[in-house]
Amino acid sequence: MAELELGSPPGPDGQVTTTPTPPRRRRGGGGLLGGLLGNAKAASGLVILILFVLMAVFAPVLAPGDPTLIQGFGSQPPSAEHWLGTTAKGQDVLALNIWGSRSSLFVGFTVGILATFVGLLVGLASAYLGRTIDNVLSLVTNVFLLLPGLPLLVILAAFLPQGLGTVILVLVITGWAGSARVLRSQAMSIRGKDFVAASQVTGEGGLRIMFREMLPNMASIVMSTFLACVIFGIGAQAGLEFLGLGDISTISWGTNLYWASNDGALLTGAWWVFVPPGVCIALVAFALALVNYGVDETTNPRLRRPRRRTTPDAPTRVAPRTRKETAR
C-alpha cells in the first residue's frame, strides 16, 4: 500500500494524490559477516588475524630451512642479515617466530573450538533436559570454576606426557567451565521462548530443538565465547611453555620465551630475543579482542551507533514537491 507523503496537495477531483515510496535498500547485507566487515574494529582485527594466519601457512616460504639451525654468531642485535637478530645459540629470531606462529595459532584455535563445543553441549543440556541434569552439570561446572586455574594447569601438565596433544587436552579441561556458564545462562533465557514450546508441541526431538531452534539464536554469544577461548588457549600455552611444562622440543612463541629466559636474554639485555614473541602474542590477542568487540556491536542493538543524531526539537523531514505539484 502506498504511503502518504506529507505536503502532497489534493488533486482536481478533491482526492489526495499519493506518491508511492521507493523501496529502501538494505545496508550492510550479508548477515553477521557483512556486519563484521562493516565494523571498523572487527575489520582491523580480521586483517591482523589474516596476516598472522598467512605467516603461519607460508612459513616454509618466508623462512625456508630448519629455524633451529645456527645461522651466525650468538646474541647479535638486529641487522640487515638478521632482521630480528640472533639468539644466544646463533639462531635467527625472525625464523623462530615465523615458525612458532604455526604451533601457537593451531593450539589456540583448537582449544577454542573444543572448549566452546564442550561448553555449548553442557549449556544446552543444562537448559533443556530438566532440573536434575541441570543440577548435576551445574555442580560439575562450579567445581571446575572454583579450582584455581594455574595450579591445575601445572599439575596436569607435569604428570601427563609432553606433546601438543597434552597441552590441548589440559587447556580444554581447564577452559570449558567458563564458557559453559555463559552459554547456559543464554540457553536458559531462550528455553522459555514461545517457539521452543511450539516445537515441543509439534513433536520435535530434543536434539533437534537444541541444535536447530535454540542454537541459531545463540550465534553471537557462541562467537564471543569462542574468541575468548582462543585468547585463553594462546596465552595459557605460552605460560605453560615459558614455565618449561610444555613440549620444549617444538617451536612456538611460548618455547621462544622459555629459551630466551633460559639463555639469560633478560639479564644480558638482548631484548630482540624475548620482545618479538611477546609482541606476537599481544597482537593476536588484541586482534581477537577487536573482533569480539565488533561482534558485540553488530549483534547487540544497544551498542549500535546511530547513523544520524536527532534531537526532540529537530524538525520533521518532509518530502519535497515535484515540479508538477508546484505548477498546480
Side-chain angles (χ1 to χ4, degrees):
M1 182 176 182
E3 295 182 0
L4 178 64
E5 279 194 10
L6 297 177
S8 297
D13 54 353
Q15 298 284 334
V16 178
T17 59
T18 59
T19 303
T21 304
R24 298 180 179 178
R25 296 180 180 179
R26 297 183 60 183
R27 299 181 180 179
L32 180 60
L33 181 59
L36 291 178
L37 295 178
N39 184 278
K41 295 179 182 178
S44 302
L46 288 174
V47 169
I48 298 174
L49 281 179
I50 290 173
L51 291 178
F52 274 99
V53 171
L54 292 177
M55 182 177 69
V57 171
F58 294 102
V61 179
L62 298 175
D66 188 357
T68 60
L69 296 178
I70 297 176
Q71 303 291 334
F73 295 102
S75 300
Q76 295 297 310
S79 61
E81 184 178 1
H82 303 285
W83 291 1
L84 294 180
T86 60
T87 64
K89 301 180 181 65
Q91 302 162 333
D92 188 78
V93 176
L94 179 60
L96 289 175
N97 284 280
I98 290 176
W99 281 88
S101 62
R102 286 191 154 194
S103 174
S104 296
L105 293 179
F106 173 76
V107 171
F109 280 95
T110 304
V111 170
I113 294 173
L114 295 179
T116 305
F117 180 72
V118 174
L120 182 62
L121 290 180
V122 173
L124 289 174
S126 298
Y128 184 80
L129 296 181
R131 181 174 299 179
T132 302
I133 301 297
D134 183 28
N135 291 336
V136 174
L137 294 178
S138 296
L139 176 62
V140 176
T141 304
N142 292 333
V143 169
F144 276 89
L145 287 175
L146 291 175
L147 290 175
L150 183 58
L152 182 60
L153 280 172
V154 171
I155 292 173
L156 292 176
F159 286 95
L160 293 176
Q162 291 186 348
L164 282 182
T166 298
V167 173
I168 293 173
L169 178 63
V170 168
L171 296 181
V172 171
I173 291 175
T174 57
W176 68 269
S179 60
R181 176 60 62 189
V182 174
L183 295 173
R184 174 189 174 274
S185 62
Q186 181 70 13
M188 290 292 287
S189 64
I190 297 176
R191 175 67 173 82
K193 300 294 183 180
D194 293 336
F195 66 88
V196 176
S199 301
Q200 292 175 331
V201 171
T202 56
E204 293 188 8
L207 291 177
R208 181 179 177 86
I209 293 175
M210 286 190 290
F211 290 98
R212 295 293 299 273
E213 303 294 338
M214 298 175 64
L215 181 57
N217 293 277
M218 301 169 57
S220 61
I221 193 67
V222 170
M223 185 68 176
S224 299
T225 305
F226 165 72
L227 295 174
C229 290
V230 174
I231 296 175
F232 163 77
I234 294 176
Q237 183 209 14
L240 283 178
E241 292 175 342
F242 178 73
L243 296 175
L245 298 174
D247 188 4
I248 59 176
S249 62
T250 61
I251 304 174
S252 68
W253 294 332
T255 55
N256 291 343
L257 291 173
Y258 168 78
W259 288 115
S261 176
N262 196 46
D263 294 336
L266 293 172
L267 299 177
T268 58
W271 57 268
W272 55 87
V273 180
F274 59 84
V275 168
V279 170
C280 289
I281 296 172
L283 282 177
V284 172
F286 177 66
L288 291 169
L290 286 179
V291 177
N292 196 4
Y293 292 147
V295 171
D296 290 340
E297 293 181 356
T298 303
T299 57
N300 191 348
R302 296 181 179 179
L303 298 178
R304 294 176 186 170
R305 296 181 179 179
R307 294 176 180 173
R308 184 174 61 88
R309 295 184 178 180
T310 58
T311 60
D313 300 332
T316 304
R317 299 184 64 183
V318 180
R321 295 184 179 183
T322 62
R323 293 183 178 179
K324 294 183 179 179
E325 293 172 349
T326 304
R328 290 176 184 175

